[in-house]
């Protein structure tokens, strides 16, 4: 059974069709005997009972879409196998691949993988075929249309409730006014600002988002006020942050807290860092890069990062879960943690996170200070959680995901606008300072 790749254009499709027609003609011409035709080629729809009979007869079904949602061919093949023999080879990109885990799964982009799978299928002992198909038939029976619709309705309800929750936390003019008030009433203030996705928008190339003049001026204006402590707290490496922001009078935290630097000071490294795990895990990430075109590895001082923003998103989603599963086996024994960021998976030493770095800053500026923290991804949740017990805190999450932050902002422009409004406030010129 051949399934035409769904991303083919009409021309490619016609060309492929012609190639298949010719190949079938060539093979049948060469190997046909009076009693046997090697390839039965049906380029038309078959009535369902005929189709079921063909499924039943087929020793192997090869279903290799690059992407699809619900693959009925794979399911129908398994359901038709009343004697439970036969082998299903299924693309790992098929929606059904997550349910039919006993199928021989292949990467549809890798022709050698498909050849290996065909060989495995043709030499598979009957006992194993029966065991695999019996398990898949059980799955299909259990996950019938009633069950499917129940799950769907429950998920829909959950999504609705989640949206409701986010709506209640949505950033508004009233909240901005509240922040401005708290800001004006405090003479000790702390800003903890994530960089990517929070102060700047995302780009395909992570090196291309250096701060523009507007952002530099905004940070300068905020940090010029002696009451303010501005800290950029990022997952990025320290050299990049130094190059972009080092000239400003702000604190910088790099690699989620591995490195930090007070305004105008030297970089200080967090203690206790073991690095040997990097050499051990890098080949695993490289293996995933080989199998996920467009993804790449970034080696930071104390972490390894797999970037998949430029990869095909369908494939990357599949690979991401595989990678997390694979890494989880190592990280539990190696005191490492896996962070899932925005189109990145990062592995780093446990115990270092933005939350710890935030707490150090807030203790330094003083409990009860006005603090505003903004971030957009999973790693920023550590900040939001760590700050929650402190008073006078405003935590802002860019994006509409569920979050530990107090408020959800629809885009990073809301962060910039809030910072702009605060930077325009008059200085606290209270008399007691001179008294
Ligand atoms: Mg970010």
């Amino acid at each position: 059974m051949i399934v035409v790749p769904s991303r083919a254009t009409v021309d490619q499709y016609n060309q492929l069709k012609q190639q298949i027609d010719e190949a079938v003609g060539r093979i049948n011409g060469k190997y046909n005997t009076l009693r046997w035709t090697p390839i039965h080629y049906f380029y038309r729809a078959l009535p369902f009972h005929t189709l079921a009979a063909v499924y039943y007869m087929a020793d192997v079904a090869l279903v290799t879409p690059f992407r699809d949602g619900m693959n009925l061919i794979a399911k129908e093949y398994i359901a038709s196998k009343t004697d439970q023999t036969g082998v299903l080879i299924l693309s790992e990109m098929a929606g059904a691949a997550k349910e039919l885990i006993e199928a021989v799964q292949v990467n549809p982009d890798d022709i050698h993988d498909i050849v290996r799978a065909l060989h495995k299928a043709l030499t598979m002992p009957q006992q194993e075929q029966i065991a695999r198909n019996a398990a898949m038939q059980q799955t299909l029976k259990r996950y019938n249309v009633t069950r499917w619709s129940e799950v769907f309705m429950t998920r829909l309800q959950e999504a609705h409730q989640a949206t409701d929750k986010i709506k209640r936390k949505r950033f508004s003019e009233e909240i901005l006014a509240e922040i401005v008030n708290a800001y004006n009433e405090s003479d000790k203030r702390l800003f903890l600002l994530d960089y990517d996705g929070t102060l700047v928008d995302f780009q395909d190339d992570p090196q291309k988002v250096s701060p523009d003049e507007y952002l530099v001026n905004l940070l300068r204006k905020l940090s010029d006020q002696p009451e303010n402590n501005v800290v950029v707290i990022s997952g990025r490496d320290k050299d990049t942050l130094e190059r972009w922001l080092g000239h400003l009078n702000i604190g910088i935290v790099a690699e989620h807290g591995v490195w930090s630097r007070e305004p105008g000071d030297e970089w200080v490294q967090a203690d206790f860092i073991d690095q040997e795990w990097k050499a051990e895990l890098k080949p695993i990430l490289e293996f995933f890069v080989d199998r996920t075109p467009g993804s790449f590895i970034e080696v930071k001082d104390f972490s390894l990062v797999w970037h998949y923003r430029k990869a095909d998103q369908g494939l990357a989603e599949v690979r991401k879960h595989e990678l997390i599963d694979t890494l989880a086996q190592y990280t539990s024994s190696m005191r490492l943690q896996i962070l899932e960021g925005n189109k990145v998976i990062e592995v780093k030493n446990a115990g270092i996170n933005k939350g710890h770095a935030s707490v150090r800053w807030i203790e330094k500026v003083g409990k009860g200070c006005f603090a505003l923290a903004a971030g957009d991804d999973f790693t920023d949740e550590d900040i939001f959680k760590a700050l929650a017990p402190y008073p006078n805190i405003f935590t802002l999450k860019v994006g509409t995901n569920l979050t530990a932050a107090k408020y959800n902002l629809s885009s990073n422009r809301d962060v910039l606008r809030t910072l702009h409004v605060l930077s325009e406030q008059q200085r606290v010129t209270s008399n007691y300072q001179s008294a």
Side-chain angles (χ1 to χ4, degrees), residues 97-109:
K98 282 157 208 85
E99 279 175 70
L100 303 178
I101 50 174
E102 290 85 4
V104 177
Q105 302 210 354
V106 289
N107 174 351
D109 271 313

Side-chain angles (χ1 to χ4, degrees), residues 18-276:
Q18 193 186 342
Q19 276 174 12
I20 294 168
D21 290 350
E22 285 167 7
V24 169
R26 207 166 47 242
I27 294 168
N28 279 347
K30 189 163 176 188
Y31 298 104
N32 249 357
T33 66
L34 278 176
R35 293 188 180 179
W36 184 63
T37 307
I39 300 177
H40 294 272
Y41 178 43
F42 304 107
Y43 186 72
R44 60 186 148 86
L46 296 174
F48 192 71
H49 61 272
T50 312
L51 187 61
V54 172
Y55 286 144
Y56 180 78
M57 281 161 54
D59 296 319
V60 177
L62 177 66
V63 186
T64 56
F66 284 115
R67 185 183 295 179
D68 76 13
M70 196 195 299
N71 198 303
L72 290 180
I73 295 172
K75 292 184 173 181
E76 286 165 2
Y77 174 73
I78 294 298
S80 307
K81 286 292 179 180
T82 48
D83 66 354
Q84 299 183 325
T85 61
V87 180
L88 171 64
I89 301 173
L90 181 59
S91 159
E92 59 186 348
M93 304 304 293
K98 282 157 208 85
E99 279 175 70
L100 303 178
I101 50 174
E102 290 85 4
V104 177
Q105 302 210 354
V106 289
N107 174 351
D109 271 313
D110 182 350
I111 195 160
H112 302 292
D113 196 26
I114 295 174
V115 170
R116 275 192 298 273
L118 278 168
H119 183 259
K120 182 175 180 175
L122 292 170
T123 55
M124 188 181 285
Q126 203 177 64
Q127 219 179 352
E128 185 181 344
Q129 298 176 19
I130 291 173
R132 286 174 183 246
N133 291 337
M136 287 190 276
Q137 286 177 350
Q138 271 304 317
T139 306
L140 292 184
K141 264 187 202 150
R142 210 172 34 244
Y143 209 71
N144 59 15
V145 69
T146 318
R147 181 82 202 281
W148 186 86
S149 53
E150 273 170 15
V151 171
F152 182 84
M153 294 311 286
T154 314
R155 294 276 152 78
L156 194 62
Q157 214 153 27
E158 284 168 4
H160 182 69
Q161 285 162 356
T163 324
D164 248 13
K165 233 181 194 170
I166 290 164
K167 257 190 216 155
R168 283 199 294 276
K169 296 168 83 170
R170 191 172 288 167
F171 192 67
S172 64
E173 291 308 307
E174 289 77 51
I175 294 162
L176 178 58
E178 197 188 323
I179 293 176
V180 170
N181 253 338
Y183 175 91
N184 283 329
E185 274 169 20
S186 180
D187 58 1
K188 280 187 295 184
R189 307 174 189 135
L190 174 62
F191 292 84
L192 294 163
L193 308 169
D194 167 53
Y195 189 79
D196 293 83
T198 303
L199 294 179
V200 295
D201 240 339
F202 284 104
Q203 297 272 346
D204 278 348
D205 180 351
Q207 289 299 321
K208 269 198 190 138
V209 285
S210 54
D212 58 14
E213 205 185 325
Y214 176 82
L215 179 58
V216 168
N217 284 338
L218 181 60
L219 293 173
R220 182 173 286 136
K221 200 163 171 192
L222 266 183
S223 56
D224 267 354
Q225 307 207 20
E227 298 85 1
N228 291 355
N229 299 274
V230 179
V231 183
V232 168
I233 181 163
S234 168
R236 279 185 180 268
D237 65 275
K238 72 178 198 314
D239 296 337
T240 306
L241 292 169
E242 170 79 41
R243 199 165 66 241
W244 288 349
L245 305 168
H247 60 291
L248 292 168
N249 185 34
I250 63 172
I252 308 176
V253 175
E255 292 192 35
H256 303 113
V258 172
W259 293 98
S260 55
R261 174 187 181 280
E262 303 225 352
D265 234 343
E266 297 290 306
W267 285 98
V268 181
Q269 184 190 318
D271 24 6
F272 82 83
I273 297 176
D274 146 48
Q275 287 240 67
E276 278 169 26

Side-chain angles (χ1 to χ4, degrees), residues 293-307:
S295 73
F296 63 95
I297 303 173
E298 182 186 3
V299 180
K300 293 193 194 170
D301 285 344
F302 299 98
S303 68
L304 290 175
V305 193
W306 182 64
H307 288 262

Side-chain angles (χ1 to χ4, degrees), residues 362-374:
I362 204 162
E363 298 286 345
K364 183 171 134 42
V365 175
K367 271 185 193 162
C369 69
F370 164 93
L372 182 139

